[in-house]
Amino acid sequence: MAALVLLIASAFLLPVPGWAQAPAPVDTTRRPPVVSEPPDSSIAMSVTLPEVTVEGVLDRAASIPAAAHVTTLDADAVAASGAQSVADLLSMRSGAFVKQYGSTGLATLSMRGMGGTQTQVLLDGLRVANPQTGQVDLSLLPTLLIESVEVQHGAGSARHGSGSLGGTVHLRTLRPQTDPLFRVAGGGGAYDERHVSALASGGRGAWSGLVAGRYYRTDGDFQYRNSFLVPTQTLRRNGAGARTMTLFGRGTWRGDAQRWRLSGWWTKARRGLPGPASARSGGARQWDELGRVWTEGTLPLGAGTLELSAQGQRSRLRYRNPPTQTDRTTLTTATDADAELRYPLSSLGSITAGTTVGYDHASLDGGVDRVSGATFVDATLSLAPFELQPAVRLDAIGANGEPTVVPSPRLGVRLRPFDDVGLTLRGLVGRAFRYPTFNERYYEPGGTPGLQPEDGWTTEGGVSFRLARPDALLTVEATAFATRLTDKIVWRPSYVANGVQVWSPSNVSRVHSRGLELSVRGRRQLRSNLSLSGGSHFTHTEAENRANPDSPAYGAQLPYVPRQTWKLWGRAEWRGLSVSATGRLVGPRFYSADESKSLAPYQTVDVRAAYEWAFDAGRLALEAQVKNVLDRRYEIVRLYPMPPRHATLRLRFSFPSS
Amino acid sequence: MRSSSSSSVLASLPNARLRRPAVWIAFLAVAALSLTGCDLFGSNDDEGRRVTTDVVIANSGNFSAQDGSLTLYNPTDSTATLKDINVAFINSLAQHNGRLFVVDNTQADNAGRITTFDTDQLEPIDQVSNPRPPRYIAFPTADKGYVSNLSRFDENFSPEPSTVSVVDLDDNSVTKRVDVGREPRGIGVAGGKAFVANSADGTLSVLDADADTVNTTLSLPDCASPKSVFVDEENEVAVVCQGGGEQASEVLFLSPIEETIKDRVELGAPIGSANATQSAYYSEGAEELYAISGVETFGGPPLGGTGEIFRVDTDTNVLDATLEVPQDDELVNLTAVGYDAVTQDLYVTRLPVDDAGGPLFSADGTALILDRSGDEVTRFETGNTPGHIAFLRDSQ
């Protein structure tokens, strides 16, 4: 692995005529100035200034401590990935493990041994998880809405409260611009896949707006082998189709010192749930509908900046399964209001303080509610050569008259030992927690109203190295982490009648998780109009059950947490042509508690080629993508096969051309 | 019937004076014994001429993972082997016509399958697709099977009336479904009839094995949760009432002809398997019935078990022994029981403990081999959640 990292690094650095030069973190392209003598002697000479390309570093979300390990995907990276959903994007370009039930099934994130309910997802700083299930189906989040993504690894409750045990995903949605922009795209591919999307943005003066929409459908009826049948048969995946529609709108008002945004997002999905491939599809279906409105404002307050935000989100989930005669609909509502004041502390740094209130409701058990409130203080203190980032948040969550108060402290340290070398050392220790979901408390049958929050502490240390030259940029990071989780909620069976088991959750488990996260990213401008970029994420995670020494699960790797994941991607751009490849290698995943049974490791490679024509009316791009080029038969979750090799084509038109 | 006195008669003959009364009495005794079929040179037990080639343990697997498997234990060399057979959640096993039938629940489609395997290599031969999750299979004729189907449950967990599938074993198809009571479980075949235990009703549905129809529904007074049904060597139908609430567990012995209860044997603790699979076993060779009180944790009243094994002599219809399974900090509950009359070994399977000391359904289990006193002889590892025990035998 170390050799491969060095190989990648050398591709972006050698030859190195300017190695001894001081890094230029902003300018990435420079040509020497041209000096000539004009024919008109009234001007002694003219100088043609050198061409400079500025590659800015995406501003980290203010809530992310500088000491944390973060993977950043800016707008170019999102577009270059070719991913249609946030699940695909994170699966390809982050160190997180995306656990997905087939190609159209539920997709959740696992980071540092924690599961989907223990990883927070924020949309423009506001939580998006369904309070009933505690998780987000990332396959229903289209990248159409997304401008950038930051994946923050590790404990994040000091700023984000409940759910940030394994990490926090910060999604930023598109920002409208006053210059007119129009974009339309459509395409299709295997298994009757069709998609069409459109985006329009524009404005005048202080006002700008953006609307976008997308429709996607697929039958998902790929072939797979069913070895549970006698004799074994090759069948088509039946009942796995999906239809999704998304609409997004945003309006922005930008004053001299203020900025206000109002945004709305609606998505509706209908998909088949074919169930495990060992059985024929029973015709189960699920309908997801989500509507969300949120507003954000930024205004000066003295020497500081006040940020206000509020959101209301309503979701409806219907599950129907004819064989079991089940037809169930649940409605949930989540509302939040936040206020944050960021204040500079002269040369010492800055301090941010804030408060948030929230209200959640679910139609379970005749209707259940939850009120929450929190206050936090987060500071960045520059004590050269160190930077300290202490923070503490106090959450109070009340459900049916039973308030729970949880403090979440955090301390981060960052050290840049050398001024002229992009070397950074960082360390962080923090507490995180997860409040039980509505399902865990009130689901009928089996919910446990008296459940307590899960509680965890994370310690991590890391080193990052960044080298920037006029024609190249390289970033290498390594992070070691350790997490201890107590009161972990697990579902356990009990008999309610002869032969009838009901599963109920209880706070009985403990987890120790530790590991290593390595990443390298780079970009090299070889010649005019020819550039290379790429990167790699490698993660090793030992996430062990540490609840009961008498149990065979003690010391065993948690189910569906791979010990190793490795992602590798590369991209070449020449004039209007771009070619990219993404590889994923995921190690064995145990599906038993005692490591006695596992799913085989799998490797997938996706390739993508696109050509873009620029002309006066706009830009036209044709893109072809082949997924699973190696045609591997694999499952992320047992008995939920993923599609074999298949292709899609996409045509995109955007206006204007620049 | 065993005869333990025949050898002493033989030994005394060469030294006996030929006194007429004694000789005639001895001659008549030998003749009577011969006519009744007793083997003068040993046990009448057919098992003594057969060997157990494999103890087959069906591992139900984790329900959501649908990973049922078999563990094969060779009692000769004490080796256990796990065999992955690509079935879903195994409910039970049965043997018929030299084949092993694996009854499994495929979950997603609320249905199931019965897959047949040869008993040499345990390779799959045929498969029946059943429209409901199947529980047990019995064979009223050589080419027909009856399969009890899981009931649907309402929102209060009350089961609804269910059916028995009639399976044509020649073309592996379900030809008919017969309406029976709620929660049908074990099936016993005797006298041209099939007796289906309706666990939630406390009744037996009596099917005409030729017409595939229900002739009568027998009420079993004071029998809570009848589940396992066997036919003993006296051709009596033995029904294990698992007990619950105010009613104790017991074994009922019925006449299949008269359809009346002849004997009742009280057991003393609620009967059950922690996996809701095999909670009783009948050994034809030993003429003994074993029942386990297996749900010793997390069941709670009225389902709470004691970890005991009850042995009933079906020849005399009495409770012969109550055995206590040895305590173990790493094991909990009982999930299946079987008795090998050839080796006189009692097999019982247990589950490992989970995070809080309850049963863990997603890890390998353990099979204990006990002697007739209930003392552990040895143990071996099974697959995930062992749920049913059967014996493959061969004639020497």
Side-chain angles (χ1 to χ4, degrees), chain A residues 501-585:
Chain A
Q501 273 187 2
V502 167
W503 289 65
S504 298
S506 50
N507 294 102
V508 296
S509 196
R510 303 167 75 95
V511 173
H512 289 184
S513 176
R514 60 201 184 277
L516 188 64
E517 295 162 342
L518 304 173
S519 65
V520 58
R521 295 183 303 281
R523 180 182 170 86
R524 175 82 187 267
Q525 192 78 30
L526 291 175
R527 279 198 293 274
S528 169
N529 295 321
L530 176 61
S531 67
L532 295 177
S533 59
S536 177
H537 287 292
F538 175 80
T539 305
H540 179 90
T541 307
E542 296 279 350
E544 297 174 353
N545 180 313
R546 289 297 183 99
N548 183 357
D550 290 332
S551 171
Y554 188 83
Q557 182 82 351
L558 297 181
Y560 287 107
V561 176
R563 282 203 168 97
Q564 291 94 25
T565 64
W566 185 20
K567 300 167 192 187
L568 185 66
W569 70 96
R571 176 181 162 94
E573 292 176 80
W574 180 65
R575 300 182 189 269
L577 176 69
S578 66
V579 178
S580 60
T582 301
R584 276 166 287 193
L585 194 151

Side-chain angles (χ1 to χ4, degrees), chain B residues 314-375:
Chain B
T314 61
D315 185 36
T316 56
N317 293 352
V318 297
L319 179 64
D320 187 48
T322 301
L323 309 176
E324 283 196 27
V325 175
Q327 288 297 308
D328 193 318
D329 290 339
E330 296 180 352
L331 300 176
V332 71
N333 298 140
L334 306 174
T335 54
V337 64
Y339 180 72
D340 186 355
V342 175
T343 60
Q344 298 191 353
D345 288 323
L346 177 63
Y347 292 78
V348 66
T349 54
R350 308 197 71 183
L351 298 175
V353 297
D354 71 356
D355 293 347
L360 181 61
F361 290 93
S362 56
D364 289 347
T366 300
L368 306 182
I369 303 177
L370 311 177
D371 62 19
R372 289 185 61 82
S373 302
D375 296 325

Side-chain angles (χ1 to χ4, degrees), chain A residues 640-651:
Chain A
Y640 287 84
M642 298 298 284
R645 179 172 52 219
H646 63 285
T648 58
L649 281 177
R650 187 163 170 248
L651 189 65

